[in-house]
Amino acid sequence: MQHAVRPRTLLRPGPTPAAPRPRAPRVRSLIDADALRVLHRAARVLLDDLPQVTDRLIAVLLEQEPAYRTAVEGDALATWQEVHRSLRHSISSLLDPRGARDGARRCSWKIGATRAEQGLPLDAVLHAFRLGGSLVWQGLVDETSRAAPEDVRLLVHVASDVWNFVDEHCTLVADAYRQTERQLAWRRENRVRLLAAALLDGTSRIADLPEAAVALELPEHGRYVVVAAAGGGLAGCPGAQAALAPGVRVHWHTGADADYGIVLVEDGEESIVQEEQAPGTRVGVGSAVEGLAAVGEARRLADTALTLCPEAGGTVRLTEHLPAALVASSPELGAALADRLLGPLAHLEPADAEVLLDTLATWLACDGSAQRASRRLYCHRNTVLNRLRRYEQLTGRSLSRPADLVEVSLALTARTLLIR
């Protein structure tokens, strides 16, 4: 604790600076010494009467600080002991500033950290410290007035020391509180991230589902769709949020290759995504599942839908592309199918083979109408039919046979996915 000292006498300027005189040791004034004597005498009385002082401060807190009423009602003994320790360190610091300093600082830091963990408002904790400072100061004044009324005036000389101590410890409490608050927030965010990752990976334990529901603010037994968003320069989850329709209830999780939204489906799957996406943004919408326990499967479905999105961007709903999804979910089988149905064209010139494949894909996209396909390809209808017959001759397949037609369609889809 620092105390006022006499100012050093300033040297008067002269034509030739005098050699500096040896500095005399700093000494306290008689007034300072008398003030400290009065302070110490009163502080020792307060320290001896510490349980009663603690009771008085608890009563003041209950009357003036509503937040502490809950703390006292929740654990009266722990609150009393905390106040008692804090007052003991504070009063001891008046008697031995250097010796008691570290212990007092540790005590205040612990109070700030503990109250942050308990969720007691910081303003309430700081108010409690200031009320404690006021009570101690009033106790010093009252005791001095009782024992030696003529010495009360001397306490003015140490008042700044007392209130500087209170201010210092309020700052300590605030620093401890905010640091602990940041740590708790990080732990909560990390726990939420781990719970969401486990749900999406399908590794979440059944026992963790209620906690996950609370952390993600989603019902455990709702109906869910997972949305996978990638590309388009998405700035993490806030950017991915723009891919969804307004008002959708969702929890976003950042993955390695995409952002995943766990979407609570209330009004149907069609309404959860925007009709138009930003350029380059690819969105895959999986099928609906029941309950958070099935979110892992929903994520795999969303990944499959995302693989079907064109590189230029767009939205693919898995329920609208199930045949293609079958191929995408098994790349090895898709490659084998493409080789079997399209492999015979490999003997042609690349440009010739490309014309046949383009004609075949366009004809299928036009629901088997040669007339419509010819308009898209800017050629005659008979040219389209001739190319189709040539494909049948090279592969031995018949486009009029339903089974062959399904296989050809899947093979073309597999080829499109494989050449990306």
Side-chain angles (χ1 to χ4, degrees):
M1 184 180 301
Q2 300 298 319
H3 299 283
V5 297
R6 287 180 175 175
R8 294 193 297 274
T9 304
L10 297 176
L11 295 175
R12 294 182 179 179
T16 304
R21 298 178 181 178
R23 293 182 179 178
R26 298 173 64 180
V27 296
R28 294 187 178 277
S29 69
L30 293 177
I31 292 179
D32 285 339
D34 288 342
L36 283 175
R37 175 181 52 78
V38 172
L39 174 68
H40 291 171
R41 183 179 60 197
R44 279 191 286 269
V45 173
L46 290 184
L47 201 57
D48 292 339
D49 196 31
L50 193 56
Q52 288 71 27
V53 177
T54 302
D55 290 340
R56 287 199 293 274
L57 181 52
I58 291 289
V60 171
L61 288 174
L62 288 173
E63 178 184 349
Q64 299 188 29
E65 185 45 68
Y68 265 85
R69 294 173 194 162
T70 304
V72 172
E73 291 170 1
D75 195 339
L77 178 60
T79 304
W80 192 93
Q81 290 173 339
E82 176 189 281
V83 172
H84 185 272
R85 277 194 304 273
S86 181
L87 287 172
R88 176 166 54 82
H89 282 293
S90 299
I91 298 172
S92 296
S93 294
L94 298 177
L95 295 168
D96 183 12
R98 292 185 179 178
R101 181 176 185 272
D102 290 342
R105 289 173 65 87
R106 285 194 297 270
C107 178
S108 295
W109 185 275
K110 183 177 180 181
I111 291 173
T114 300
R115 290 309 188 184
E117 291 173 351
Q118 295 170 347
L120 196 71
L122 176 57
D123 287 347
V125 184
L126 295 178
H127 188 205
F129 262 75
R130 294 190 178 99
L131 287 174
S134 297
L135 186 68
V136 169
W137 175 251
Q138 189 61 50
L140 295 171
V141 173
D142 290 346
E143 174 55 30
T144 303
S145 298
R146 183 192 65 79
E150 68 280 2
D151 290 339
V152 170
R153 59 184 176 79
L154 293 173
L155 289 178
V156 173
H157 298 280
V158 294
S160 62
D161 292 331
V162 174
W163 289 108
N164 285 342
F165 176 90
V166 174
D167 288 342
E168 176 192 358
H169 283 258
C170 281
T171 300
L172 271 174
V173 167
D175 289 345
Y177 190 101
R178 293 188 181 105
Q179 180 174 313
T180 303
E181 202 171 38
R182 287 193 296 270
Q183 292 172 347
L184 291 172
W186 181 86
R187 289 174 192 168
R188 284 192 295 269
E189 291 169 3
N190 193 51
R191 182 58 178 164
V192 169
R193 184 182 63 81
L194 292 174
L195 289 168
L199 287 175
L200 290 164
D201 291 341
T203 58
S204 182
R205 300 179 304 173
I206 297 298
D208 290 336
L209 293 178
E211 181 187 358
V214 173
L216 275 59
E217 299 181 355
L218 294 170
E220 181 180 350
H221 300 292
R223 187 165 177 262
Y224 291 99
V225 164
V226 171
V227 174
L234 294 176
C237 293
Q241 177 69 37
L244 300 187
V248 172
R249 193 171 170 188
V250 59
H251 176 84
W252 282 103
H253 177 81
T254 299
D257 301 315
D259 291 331
Y260 295 95
I262 304 174
V263 182
L264 180 65
V265 181
E266 296 175 339
D267 300 321
E269 298 175 39
E270 299 297 325
S271 62
I272 66 174
V273 295
Q274 298 279 20
E275 290 301 321
E276 295 185 5
Q277 302 295 342
T281 300
R282 298 162 49 238
V283 178
V285 183
S287 303
V289 297
E290 295 295 332
L292 288 177
V295 163
E297 177 60 26
R299 180 260 177 97
R300 285 187 285 275
L301 296 173
D303 280 337
T304 300
L306 189 62
T307 62
L308 301 178
C309 285
E311 291 298 326
T315 299
V316 170
R317 295 178 176 85
L318 191 70
T319 52
E320 299 173 0
H321 299 80
L322 291 177
L326 288 173
V327 175
S329 62
S330 182
E332 297 82 3
L333 290 179
L337 184 64
D339 183 65
R340 181 179 178 186
L341 274 294
L342 308 177
L345 303 186
H347 301 294
L348 302 176
E349 289 293 328
D352 193 14
E354 192 65 32
V355 167
L356 288 183
L357 290 172
D358 190 29
T359 301
L360 188 57
T362 303
W363 178 72
L364 288 170
C366 293
D367 298 325
S369 170
Q371 188 66 41
R372 287 165 54 196
S374 68
R375 288 197 293 269
R376 286 195 186 183
L377 295 169
Y378 302 101
C379 63
H380 195 273
R381 173 178 176 277
N382 289 340
T383 302
V384 173
L385 295 174
N386 289 335
R387 290 173 183 173
L388 297 178
R389 279 194 293 271
R390 189 178 177 204
Y391 168 80
E392 290 177 324
Q393 291 167 359
L394 289 169
T395 61
R397 300 287 171 169
S398 173
L399 296 177
S400 60
R401 186 182 302 130
D404 286 353
L405 194 59
V406 170
E407 288 187 345
V408 169
S409 177
L410 292 175
L412 287 170
T413 299
R415 176 179 176 274
T416 300
L417 295 174
L418 291 171
I419 64 177
R420 281 186 181 178

